[in-house]
Amino acid sequence: MSSELRGLLDNEDADEEDTPLSKPSTSRRDEAAKESSPSFTEEGNLITRNKITSLLLLIGIVAVLVVSAIVVAVIIRNSEKGSSDGNCTPVNLKSGDSNVIVAPLVDHSSYKMLVLPNDLRVVLISDPNATQAAASMDVNAGSFNDPIEVDGLAHFCEHMLFLGTNKYPGKSEYSSFLSANGGYDNAYTSTQNTNYYFGVNLNALEEALDRFAQFFIAPLFTANLTYGEMNAVNSEYDKDLNDPGWKLWQLLKNVSNPDHPFSRFSIGSIGTLNRTDIRDQLIKYYNTSYSANQMQLAVIGNDSLSTLEKWVKNKFSSLPNRQIKPLRFNATSFPPAYTSKLVFYAPGEPVHSVTIFWQVPTLEDKYRNRVSALISQYLGDEGHGSVLDYLNSKLWASSLSASTELDTDSYTLYTIQIELTEEGLLHVKDVVAVVFQYIRKVNAISDEQWCSMWNEHIQSTDILFNYKDKTTPYSFVEHLAASMRTIKDPADFLSPPSRASFDLKLIRSTISKLTPSNSIVFVGSPNLLNTSSTSPQGFPWPALNSVEPWFSTNFSKIDIPSEVMKAWSTDNRNVHLRLPSKNLFVPRMLEVVPLEKAHSEMPTQVKSGEGLSVWWLQDDQFFVPKIDLVCSLETSVAYSSSRNFALTNLFLNYIDQALSADLYPATVTGYANSLSFNPSGLTIEVNGYSDDRVMEHYLTVLLQGISDATETINEDVFIVTLKAIISYYEQYSYDQLPYRYVRSYTQYVVLRKPYYKHSTILSELSNITSSEMLKHAKNLFKSFNTTCFVHGNVLKDKAISYATQVKQILSQSSTTVQQPFCSSQVVMVGNGTSSVAIRPLNPTDKNSLVNVIFQIGRACVIENGQCSNSSLRNLALSSLLQLVMKDICFSYLRTVRQLGYVATCYSATHSNVITFELLVQSGTYDPDYILNVMNEFLNDFYNNELVELTNPDKFSSIKSSYVQVINQKDLTLSDKTASKWSYITSKLYQFDIRSQVTKVVASITGEDLRNFYSDNVLQPTRREIVISIFGYPRTPHYISNATEVDYGRIDDFKDHASFFGTVNCN
């Protein structure tokens, strides 16, 4: 919750969340979220979140840098030795006590490992600079532990633990406590573990731990709540029915060995869980799977280690130790009888792909050898001579990933996934052949080459580790507790490269398993449903005569034909494939420069004039050798029409494609860039280490590549990019669920001007030529103002130099400064209720959704150089309302009324406009029913809970919690950059917004919040718009007695609408 509420102050949308992984796990909550930015951005976040580490005390900087320099020097020296004299010595820096946790150099937390008398393993972290407290319990039991007769029982048990314990019997008591104290909770069930975690305000940790411990001591498994939570699990299953990742994952299970539990259905549904003995099954499962000796606990706070230890011992020592032994499976999922298979399937989305899986001997307990990471780095390489580089040149593929998909105690599942073009689908046999050609090339690497590659890998990963980004406390402990399940030595818990051990034999034996005969190859395409479509060369389209029962995926499985197996196994040399060359983007100068001025939280404008404005803030909080550089190129050309929108989007993705091979090596060492655009123009963002040589080289390659693309276009790259972006828009409707796209797309279509529907952009893209894109690119850089913000380990003159470099390289003519123009505007809906009624983007999606939006007003109206008191009060009141309402909303709409798996309320800002929103997605109920229940809740909440929550004593505590949340320090350099940058680009310059809001909160009373709620949510003068999405086969219709907003003629609506004013739009 803290990131949500603080995001409001930084003019960002709340509830950011990552998209699901290709290998899903089941999770208790999946609240409404703004989807992470796709490859083809429109108006997403402009700051790539390269999260940076915890605070450094200034007194410790010198010592840290000396140690760091020594470590890096040792690695570099060994790496260079291997490459120069042919007598490589692999870097093995392991040393010290294996019981002492090895942390990044810039992590000043204190760690302690202990084992309680009941054999519960615990790691305590005392971080004096923690922004929040958190804890995670990882249980060594997951879906593999499901009894044969009850699929999904492990996941169902995870849900039920949240619904009351003997000591705290209320079904929402745990979550309500966390919510009232700025907290957050969640859990997930994976194959061999179940993880529970929470975050909470620092001063509430002890009480939160007491509630948390009871999950594992005395849960109630209340009988009359089981059916309701069964529906929640079923709703989660319904939600994922069209998810491509789940479809492929369950299909992989379907073709695996049925004697291994991997083959089972792990989510659970009404069909698998609705049994008369389900409570008995739950209790039996819990008592045979949950035991202190099979659990790991991680706790972080700002209290001392002795205090944390006292709390943990007091609250967790009574966890029963049932002396359970972990399950072990003799069988594997893909023994020889289940490999050498070719599976054709229809993925349910307009995308073509080939995915190759291999089962290899388990690497789970060989974490120090880093075999999976090393192999993934080279097989997943995207630089010159890589598999993807070659496939791109043939116009066969647009993306490639290589990774470990699953680690178990008996085997590891490795995968390479390639997204194909239409042409690539027709050559899918050749595409797979290229993969095996490259694997054979890697397999033939000499011992000396492996040694040198290992040293470079350790060199880059050691730098990344020692300056590792600090994550949210709950995310940190969640990963730590999960790692403790398989990692036994505390020194290895955080995976320090300094503990790595080179095992050439293990590397070679693992790669030797990546053969055609050991593979399972999945070819996915909607074309497979059309028998008249052109067949791939060497692959006649099979009839998809089988249906996977859980996700209704049409497929066909055959043995890999002998002629295909021969083609994939033949050692045909491909001269275009080569291993990565020496990485020129490895930073070596990692010193922190001296502070140039006294401490300040305020960026300083250090240059203004000639079309260039430079803002600078030298980091004096994190003291890490990193820089964030973000520049806005203000031009109306980028976004002024749907045609220009499509051309700009295409051009920026062309740049990304054209430079991908050149810049990919830099991504391995921690450098990143992002090119995006919005109604104000283009945004170029670069972040990485502050080594002058590397940063300048990186900037030059990027900027010169952009400049070159305004002079000449590579036709092949243009074709690949155009096909990829068209594919993105076509598959967006199938990839996304309504609760994801309603906030990041539908709301924008309805309430933003300018903004363009995907169907309009697709129409524009259908006839764009490379020559037209080139002409547009020239216009983009013909005349623009540049505003840059340089933040981090950088002096003022260097900051100006970097910004000037951006301006000079990209300027196509003498600078012509534009007059300020009106950029993005937000529609001000009329008083009362407006109604939008539409079908889902995916016409077969049965999920319905209701998104109720109450517009509050502008978040910051400038008066005398600061935000006005009235606008600050609205911002604070909206956030306070979220704090008191969110958990009650979730509990009532999802748990009590069982509307659907996704149910939430939240406050957000959109282009400086505050909204308060409710959102429910349901696979069961129609929007009319959902809206009626939501309205009942809104009225009941005002008359009951809100009265109780705003009594003076409780409300004082709530305000105190909110003040703690908004004044939490930024976790990372890039978080801070994003916060400051948002107030530069908005031209509000309210860098001290948190202190302004804090002052206002002191004067807000409970009566103020009740009046705010009444005025903005209940009164007829409220500004409310309801977006209703009618899932298949329902017919959309408007809300009665509401102002109808025709989505099909949305431009007409916006042409006649009023708008909230912005700096340049009054």
Side-chain angles (χ1 to χ4, degrees), residues 554-565:
N554 298 95
F555 76 99
S556 177
K557 182 184 72 171
I558 62 173
D559 292 331
I560 297 176
S562 57
E563 64 276 13
V564 174
M565 181 67 74

Side-chain angles (χ1 to χ4, degrees), residues 236-270:
E236 185 174 351
Y237 165 51
D238 280 346
K239 172 181 70 70
D240 293 325
L241 280 173
N242 291 316
D243 183 272
W246 269 111
K247 280 179 172 286
L248 177 57
W249 190 241
Q250 193 63 42
L251 185 55
L252 178 67
K253 289 166 167 275
N254 182 276
V255 301
S256 69
N257 179 9
D259 293 331
H260 192 281
F262 174 75
S263 63
R264 308 267 301 282
F265 172 61
S266 60
I267 301 176
S269 68
I270 287 290

Side-chain angles (χ1 to χ4, degrees), residues 157 162 207 214 226 241 341 385 387 410 471 541 575 684 728 743 804 836 892:
C157 180
F162 286 84
E207 290 184 74
Q214 296 304 309
T226 54
L241 280 173
K341 304 300 179 186
V387 171
S410 58
T471 60
W541 274 160
V575 296
I684 300 172
Y728 162 74
R743 294 187 64 199
T804 302
V836 180
Y892 182 78

